Amino acid sequence: LVVAIATGAAYHVAVYGDIGHLDNYAAVGGLTALIYALPHIFRDAYQVESYLEGRRGLTRTFVVWNTAFLCLGIIGFLTKTTGLFSRGGLVLFYVGGLTAVTGLAGVISAVLKSLIRAGRIASRRIMLVGTEAELAHVADVCDACPLGVRVVAVHVLPDRAGEDLSDPAGAKALQASLQDAVAQARDNRVGDIV
């Protein structure tokens, strides 16, 4: 919204010598912001994990921004309001807005990583469940993970868990072990079990 008003006013001052209609720039900015935000809202792209996992990459930002402008053009055509806005101002808004949303996503991601490192934001709490061999491998992978994941509990299953469930003793041992894992997960308030 701010970029739409600033670019529209700047273009109008540079070309026509006056500031123009700020309410028109605000309307275009608000509509573009709504169209841009909706796909991200529906895909839960405003969650912390989305920034940390890179789901809001440059390609996605570029595609959604272009889609927002395509929709803006279609709405302008259908409502016969394209004559109210200068093409130069819209091009300036397109470039300035794309730069702003791309830069803002990068800044938010960097700030979130910094806050997690500083302990100001709680990282995702996970619990590892598996045999000793599986846990050793997954623990190495989790240690190399980006910020946002913290192993808070580990549960070791019996060595031959799940191999032969027709054996009543093995099945009973596995069931008891999994019930213990569930209780441990509840006690540690984990968010995900791997």
Side-chain angles (χ1 to χ4, degrees):
L1 182 61
V2 172
V3 174
I5 294 170
T7 56
Y11 179 81
H12 219 269
V13 166
V15 174
Y16 302 111
D18 69 339
I19 204 162
H21 301 282
L22 295 180
D23 56 335
N24 287 346
Y25 310 142
V28 168
L31 185 59
T32 306
L34 177 67
I35 297 168
Y36 177 78
L38 284 176
H40 292 300
I41 291 169
F42 287 125
R43 294 178 61 115
D44 292 329
Y46 289 111
Q47 293 181 348
V48 172
E49 291 86 9
S50 295
Y51 286 100
L52 297 176
E53 294 170 359
R55 284 188 270 162
R56 294 205 43 174
L58 291 176
T59 304
R60 175 128 179 90
T61 299
F62 183 74
V63 167
V64 174
W65 186 251
N66 282 317
T67 303
F69 259 82
L70 178 65
C71 292
L72 185 66
I74 291 170
I75 291 170
F77 174 76
L78 292 175
T79 59
K80 297 181 182 181
T81 56
T82 55
L84 298 176
F85 306 100
S86 62
R87 290 174 296 225
L90 286 174
V91 168
L92 193 59
F93 173 47
Y94 172 83
V95 172
L98 181 59
T99 304
V101 296
T102 303
L104 186 61
V107 167
I108 289 172
S109 181
V111 167
L112 286 173
K113 289 177 182 178
S114 172
L115 290 172
I116 288 172
R117 251 188 251 115
R120 304 243 180 207
I121 295 179
S123 56
R124 180 188 289 163
R125 300 168 56 88
I126 67 169
M127 175 178 174
L128 302 178
V129 177
T131 63
E132 286 190 42
E134 292 169 336
L135 290 174
H137 173 69
V138 174
D140 290 340
V141 171
C142 285
D143 288 341
C145 275
L147 297 169
V149 176
R150 187 175 71 189
V151 178
V152 294
V154 176
H155 184 80
V156 180
L157 293 175
D159 280 334
R160 301 181 57 98
E163 286 182 10
D164 184 16
L165 293 179
S166 62
D167 173 28
K172 194 168 198 165
L174 178 60
Q175 184 178 11
S177 183
L178 289 175
Q179 287 175 345
D180 290 344
V182 169
Q184 188 179 5
R186 287 184 180 140
D187 291 343
N188 287 294
R189 298 183 327 261
V190 299
D192 295 306
I193 300 174
V194 179

